[in-house]
């Protein structure tokens, strides 16, 4: 049984005071880490505030990192910096970074390697545009993102990685993929991982769905066999919604 992982992606939202309000409310409200991985991925200036108060069951992640461990890269954050704050996860290759900050599959690959080298768990985002979904090329796009993004990652490391399937047309739009479509596509991703890395990796790797997940649709999404968790943007900013959604994952265990 794969442990569910419910992760919030705060994007460029929340000041320190807003983060403090959230963490004081949420750290005791998420389920036991024995049952569910509950993660908040926040911006670097908020790390100290969140890590100090994360409690026993919540984990903190970053939303990006550089692939070099140090260097003259003004404005960038490194893996060793994140690790030194006890950050556990890092989102890599989010579609907003691919679209607005020119991240290619090759850069995504270098960042995954750097995350693993620094003992950070990468949450790697892949997904298709609306026109690709409509013209039937979704699987080809996902296949290519997987083959290029995971070059030179061995089977042992693949088992640690979280893949987030995020159809770009469903992010921040209120348009969720239907649970059946999300399940079918996560199943396709799992089958590609199986072909490349073997059945035991396909069985072990956790695949999330992301794109307009909220308290109203999470139960159905998590009822699907191939969806091991969700990556939540907008709805993760509300403490009560986040508590509800992490606890929704408990139903998957029953
Ligand atoms: P959304 O964002 O839940 O606001 O659609 C998801 C994401 O970008 O990870």
């Amino acid at each position: 049984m794969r442990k569910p992982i419910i992760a919030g992606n705060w994007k460029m939202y929340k000041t320190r005071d807003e983060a403090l309000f959230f963490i004081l409310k949420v750290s005791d409200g998420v389920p036991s880490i024995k049952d569910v991985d509950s993660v908040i991925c926040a911006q670097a200036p908020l790390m100290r505030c969140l890590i100090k108060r994360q409690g026993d069951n919540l984990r903190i992640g970053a939303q990006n990192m550089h692939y070099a461990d140090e260097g003259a890269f003004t404005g960038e954050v490194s893996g060793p910096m994140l690790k030194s704050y006890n950050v556990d996860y890092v989102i890599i290759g989010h579609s907003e970074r691919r679209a607005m900050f020119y991240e290619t599959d090759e850069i995504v690959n270098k960042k995954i390697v750097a995350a693993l080298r620094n003992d950070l768990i990468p949450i790697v985002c892949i997904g298709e545009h609306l026109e690709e979904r409509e013209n039937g090329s979704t699987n080809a796009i996902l296949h290519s993102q997987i083959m290029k993004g995971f070059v030179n990652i061995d089977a042992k490391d693949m088992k640690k990685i979280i893949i987030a399937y995020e159809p770009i047309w469903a992010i921040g739009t209120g348009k969720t993929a239907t649970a059946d479509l999300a399940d079918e596509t996560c199943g396709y991703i799992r089958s590609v991982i199986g072909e490349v890395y073997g059945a035991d990796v396909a069985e072990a790797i956790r695949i999330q769905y992301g794109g307009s997940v909220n308290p109203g649709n999470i139960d159905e999404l998590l009822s699907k066999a191939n969806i091991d968790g969700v990556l939540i943007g907008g709805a993760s900013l509300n403490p009560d919604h986040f508590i509800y959604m992490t606890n929704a994952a408990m139903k998957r265990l029953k």
Side-chain angles (χ1 to χ4, degrees), residues 151-167:
V151 167
N152 294 331
I153 312 272
D154 65 19
K156 182 172 62 57
D157 279 339
M158 275 310 284
K159 288 187 188 174
K160 299 180 200 159
I161 289 174
I162 317 288
I163 298 180
Y165 166 56
E166 297 209 306

Side-chain angles (χ1 to χ4, degrees), residues 1-223:
M1 181 79 194
R2 296 181 290 268
K3 188 175 11 164
I5 172 159
I6 309 298
N9 171 14
W10 277 1
K11 309 192 179 186
M12 200 175 72
Y13 290 99
K14 291 202 190 289
T15 61
R16 182 189 176 275
D17 285 353
E18 289 163 350
L20 186 60
F21 175 79
F22 180 99
I23 196 81
L24 291 175
K25 210 163 174 191
V26 165
S27 57
D28 287 339
V30 296
S32 166
I33 197 164
K34 285 198 226 87
D35 298 322
V36 178
D37 285 323
S38 304
V39 185
I40 286 293
C41 297
Q43 289 289 0
L46 303 175
M47 289 306 171
R48 185 161 173 272
C49 165
L50 295 175
I51 295 276
K52 266 172 78 177
R53 299 169 179 91
Q54 71 187 107
D56 294 333
N57 297 313
L58 186 66
R59 290 292 175 267
I60 305 301
Q63 299 170 9
N64 178 34
M65 63 180 282
H66 199 273
Y67 51 74
D69 283 354
E70 60 180 11
F73 300 106
T74 301
E76 291 291 309
V77 173
S78 74
M81 288 174 193
L82 295 174
K83 205 60 211 174
S84 71
Y85 274 91
N86 294 323
V87 168
D88 287 305
Y89 292 84
V90 56
I91 297 174
I92 292 180
H94 190 279
S95 61
E96 287 155 15
R97 295 215 54 90
R98 291 178 190 255
M100 290 185 265
F101 302 96
Y102 313 109
E103 285 192 11
T104 60
D105 289 320
E106 290 69 28
I107 293 173
V108 166
N109 177 253
K110 284 174 148 186
K111 291 187 175 193
I112 297 169
V113 171
L116 293 165
R117 180 171 72 235
N118 286 290
D119 199 21
L120 294 158
I121 301 171
I123 300 176
V124 182
C125 301
I126 58 176
E128 81 286 1
H129 288 97
L130 183 59
E131 54 278 20
E132 292 162 342
R133 169 60 69 182
E134 286 174 348
N135 70 22
S137 55
T138 298
N139 288 0
I141 295 293
L142 296 173
H143 192 272
S144 160
Q145 288 174 336
I146 292 168
M147 298 316 283
K148 293 182 187 158
F150 297 119
V151 167
N152 294 331
I153 312 272
D154 65 19
K156 182 172 62 57
D157 279 339
M158 275 310 284
K159 288 187 188 174
K160 299 180 200 159
I161 289 174
I162 317 288
I163 298 180
Y165 166 56
E166 297 209 306
I168 295 160
W169 46 272
I171 296 178
T173 58
K175 267 194 215 163
T176 330
T178 63
D180 284 335
L181 186 85
D183 185 47
E184 185 190 310
T185 313
C186 290
Y188 171 73
I189 294 167
R190 199 177 298 288
S191 74
V192 175
I193 298 296
E195 279 161 28
V196 182
Y197 292 97
D200 65 319
V201 178
E203 188 52 41
I205 196 164
R206 291 185 290 174
I207 304 177
Q208 296 175 307
Y209 166 78
S212 299
V213 177
N214 60 56
N217 59 25
I218 191 165
D219 288 323
E220 197 190 355
L221 288 162
L222 292 181
S223 73

